[in-house]
Amino acid sequence: MSNRHLCRSIAMQSLYEWDFDSSLIDASLQKTKKFEKEKLAEILKDDLEEYAEGLDDVSFAQDLVFGVFDNIKEIDGLISKLAPEWPLEQVTIINRNVLRIGIYELRFGKREDVPPKVAINEAIELAKTFGGQSSGKFINGVLGSLYKEIEKDGEGKPETDKETKEVKEGE
């Protein structure tokens, strides 16, 4: 298993545990964002110690977990928009968090580090490993729709002609 795949698996497990625990807490307790982030950091630390002993670079897992956390409202809004027949609270916790990681990588991640198709394929693999029988298809459908939107909006193309020119000159 590659280091990045392991980091994604640990990020998904940490987000799952955080999401599950958060759903059990009475809403009237008015959890603060700082409290939730500290709780998530502790869960991630424990999961890294348990599942990634000897992993040299844990920064990718940290980037995924806290990237999802910091952008969760927008990410959850995208899930609701891209899968309107599945209210967010009805999406399984596994699928919800695999989608959060995939959407984070597609919308907020660095394309030079993780190409969109790699992010989608990795999310599908997580869904197949941890989710139900149809999880891979569901994840593929939602992330495929987002990818098409991103490409249609031009977000997947070079920002400037300079980038394209540098590639041509370097051939």
Side-chain angles (χ1 to χ4, degrees), residues 1-22 39-53 55 61-62 64-65 68 93-101 122-123 125-127 129-131:
M1 179 182 306
S2 76
N3 281 348
R4 286 199 165 201
H5 184 76
L6 178 59
C7 285
R8 283 184 184 93
S9 294
I10 292 169
M12 193 285 303
Q13 291 173 49
S14 297
L15 288 165
Y16 171 92
E17 186 177 341
W18 169 76
D19 193 3
F20 183 81
D21 285 349
S22 295
K39 181 172 137 186
L40 184 55
E42 187 63 32
I43 292 169
L44 178 61
K45 179 181 172 273
D46 291 345
D47 286 348
L48 286 167
E49 287 173 4
E50 185 170 343
Y51 303 115
E53 185 178 333
L55 183 64
Q62 293 167 332
L64 290 174
V65 167
V68 167
I93 297 176
I94 293 285
N95 288 346
R96 184 167 55 232
N97 286 291
V98 169
L99 281 173
R100 286 171 172 164
I101 291 169
E122 285 288 326
E125 288 304 312
L126 285 175
T129 301
F130 295 103

Side-chain angles (χ1 to χ4, degrees), residues 2-153:
S2 76
N3 281 348
R4 286 199 165 201
H5 184 76
L6 178 59
C7 285
R8 283 184 184 93
S9 294
I10 292 169
M12 193 285 303
Q13 291 173 49
S14 297
L15 288 165
Y16 171 92
E17 186 177 341
W18 169 76
D19 193 3
F20 183 81
D21 285 349
S22 295
S23 67
L24 297 176
I25 298 172
D26 185 84
S28 66
L29 293 177
Q30 298 297 318
K31 303 168 289 190
T32 66
K33 191 168 183 168
K34 181 182 177 194
F35 170 79
E36 287 298 312
K37 195 167 193 172
E38 288 170 358
K39 181 172 137 186
L40 184 55
E42 187 63 32
I43 292 169
L44 178 61
K45 179 181 172 273
D46 291 345
D47 286 348
L48 286 167
E49 287 173 4
E50 185 170 343
Y51 303 115
E53 185 178 333
L55 183 64
D56 297 336
D57 186 13
V58 298
S59 63
F60 186 64
Q62 293 167 332
D63 290 346
L64 290 174
V65 167
F66 296 115
V68 167
F69 181 84
D70 291 339
N71 296 286
I72 199 156
K73 285 187 180 190
E74 186 173 346
I75 291 169
D76 285 354
L78 283 168
I79 295 171
S80 296
K81 175 185 166 198
L82 296 166
E85 63 282 353
W86 287 95
L88 192 62
E89 60 279 351
Q90 288 183 5
V91 175
T92 66
I93 297 176
I94 293 285
N95 288 346
R96 184 167 55 232
N97 286 291
V98 169
L99 281 173
R100 286 171 172 164
I101 291 169
I103 290 171
Y104 172 75
E105 287 196 89
L106 286 172
R107 291 283 291 164
F108 304 99
K110 298 176 186 165
R111 284 181 174 253
E112 59 274 6
D113 289 346
V114 181
K117 291 184 180 181
V118 170
I120 293 170
N121 287 335
E122 285 288 326
I124 292 167
E125 288 304 312
L126 285 175
K128 287 179 179 179
T129 301
F130 295 103
Q133 228 174 6
S134 60
S135 292
K137 290 178 183 179
F138 177 66
I139 299 299
N140 186 40
V142 174
L143 295 181
S145 296
L146 177 60
Y147 178 71
K148 287 176 187 173
E149 274 188 25
I150 290 170
E151 290 299 305
K152 186 179 94 181
D153 293 342

